[in-house]
Amino acid sequence: MLPLLVATGVVVAVYIVLVKTIFKSSKFKGNAAMAGKTVIVTGGNTGIGKATALELARRGARVILACRNQEKAELAISDIKRETGSTDVVYMQLDLGSLQAVRSFTETFLKTEARLDLLINNAGLVADGRTADGFGIEFGVNHLGHFLLTCLLLDRLKEGTGGRVVTLGSMAYRWGNIDFDALITNKHLGTGRYSWQFFHAYCNSKLCNVLFNHELAKRLKGTNVTCYSVHPGVVKTELSRNCSLWQRFIIEPIARLLFLDPESGAQTTLHCALQEGIEPLSGRYFFCCAPQDVVAKGKDDAVAKKLWEVSERLSGLF
């Protein structure tokens, strides 16, 4: 009996530690209104993006769901309108896996929308494969597509008063690295059919997100636009939809027990999007609605600058 009690105590203690650390959650408590403001949320048709879009719509924003899948987007819009009463939530087609599609999206947006106050680079995936332009899909979608999207929309953001860019990173950036020679030669930061291979590629793409935000803040100094990167927590979303059946079989029970729901996962994004007075923290990395220190690789000025320059060339900006 005693060994069973000890084992139970250990399991409970481990569970409590996990809930208070890796699986910690928070709640954004600000009351900022968004009436008259326009927001783009990439991947806003599901998960964290949908939860973020819903709250912004509830606060009065015009919300544009920038998504690849129109059917899912229209279902999400119906849900958001029903729950918030907003009639100002719309779909615009965006495939981050195609640089031409990103350009088409921005051209359409700039022609049809008079303002942009908030860009939320939310979409992301864990998968193997290539984009339409031949890039590793995680690098191409998670970083390069968002990089091009942001650069093409910066001028419109600067036209307003206090525009913001929020990019979803992940604590996984800690395990990432960037091999520029491999990136330029092979157009990816990791690939392979085994889960550990494309998870490592995911970590590399999340490091790109954090470094992109770091460099973007430097380039936005002296403007009225600020930027933030976010670790949303470990959230139960469709991020693992491309994992194998046996991997999902392992992940699902853990997710049900420990992972945050999308609404909880959206709280730090909402904090960085809406909290007043955080402008001096532009370029910082946030978790649980608070700025966090990043490890050295996440704030390496030289690597961040080089990533920006390489991304400019790969995306066709220069």
Side-chain angles (χ1 to χ4, degrees):
M1 187 63 178
L2 181 59
L4 179 60
L5 291 174
V6 171
T8 301
V10 169
V11 169
V12 171
V14 169
Y15 175 80
I16 292 172
V17 169
L18 289 173
V19 168
K20 296 292 185 181
T21 54
I22 295 174
F23 300 97
K24 185 179 178 182
S25 64
S26 61
K27 179 71 175 177
F28 172 60
K29 298 177 182 178
N31 57 6
M34 290 293 286
K37 296 187 177 182
T38 299
V39 179
I40 294 173
V41 183
T42 69
N45 57 357
T46 187
I48 298 169
K50 181 181 175 183
T52 302
L54 188 149
E55 182 59 29
L56 293 171
R58 180 179 283 131
R59 290 170 183 255
R62 174 171 173 78
V63 180
I64 296 169
L65 302 190
C67 314
R68 185 173 58 86
N69 189 310
Q70 182 174 356
E71 183 179 355
K72 280 188 176 181
E74 289 175 347
L75 288 172
I77 288 170
S78 295
D79 290 344
I80 292 169
K81 287 182 174 180
R82 183 174 60 253
E83 188 160 342
T84 67
S86 172
T87 58
D88 211 6
V89 185
V90 298
Y91 162 74
M92 287 182 64
Q93 208 279 336
L94 172 64
D95 181 358
L96 289 161
S98 164
L99 296 176
Q100 181 54 50
V102 174
R103 290 181 180 277
S104 295
F105 170 87
T106 57
E107 288 172 6
T108 300
F109 176 85
L110 293 172
K111 287 177 182 176
T112 59
E113 298 291 332
R115 64 184 296 160
L116 177 61
D117 301 277
L118 175 61
L119 171 61
I120 299 181
N121 293 323
N122 167 85
L125 50 72
V126 179
D128 186 36
R130 296 276 182 167
T131 68
D133 306 287
F135 295 103
I137 196 164
E138 290 170 311
F139 171 77
V141 170
N142 297 354
H143 168 67
L144 194 62
H146 280 124
F147 172 85
L148 179 60
L149 177 70
T150 303
C151 289
L152 294 176
L153 292 174
L154 278 181
D155 285 344
R156 183 57 53 87
L157 279 163
K158 291 174 183 176
E159 290 173 4
T161 56
R164 294 186 183 184
V165 179
V166 181
T167 300
L168 265 73
S170 167
M171 66 182 292
Y173 87 90
R174 293 168 174 265
W175 304 301
N177 59 72
I178 301 175
D179 183 337
F180 286 107
D181 291 336
L183 175 58
I184 293 167
T185 302
N186 303 318
K187 301 177 74 172
H188 67 70
L189 286 175
T191 187
R193 63 189 182 91
Y194 296 109
S195 58
W196 65 268
Q197 291 174 312
F198 55 76
F199 177 72
H200 187 241
Y202 174 77
C203 297
N204 297 341
S205 73
K206 292 293 106 177
L207 177 58
C208 288
N209 291 152
V210 173
L211 288 170
F212 163 62
N213 180 68
H214 181 76
E215 179 66 16
L216 179 60
K218 291 178 178 294
R219 293 172 182 257
L220 289 173
K221 278 187 177 179
T223 75
N224 57 353
V225 180
T226 54
C227 61
Y228 314 89
S229 64
V230 167
H231 171 48
V234 184
V235 184
K236 189 177 187 302
T237 67
E238 294 183 6
L239 190 67
S240 61
R241 61 187 176 271
N242 295 302
C243 293
S244 66
L245 183 62
W246 72 266
Q247 289 163 345
R248 291 199 298 272
F249 182 78
I250 294 172
I251 292 170
E252 281 299 319
I254 300 172
R256 290 173 186 271
L257 181 64
L258 290 171
F259 286 19
L260 305 179
D261 60 41
E263 181 181 355
S264 297
Q267 297 306 303
T268 304
T269 298
L270 293 168
H271 176 86
C272 290
L274 300 172
Q275 182 62 46
E276 296 177 354
I278 64 170
E279 290 81 5
L281 299 176
S282 182
R284 295 289 300 274
Y285 168 87
F286 283 71
F287 171 51
C288 280
C289 298
Q292 307 288 319
D293 290 331
V294 295
V295 300
K297 69 173 68 177
K299 54 185 177 183
D300 188 311
D301 290 339
V303 175
K305 184 173 184 289
K306 185 170 183 178
L307 175 64
W308 186 284
E309 292 169 349
V310 168
S311 298
E312 283 181 325
R313 295 199 299 273
L314 294 178
S315 64
L317 280 175
F318 291 104

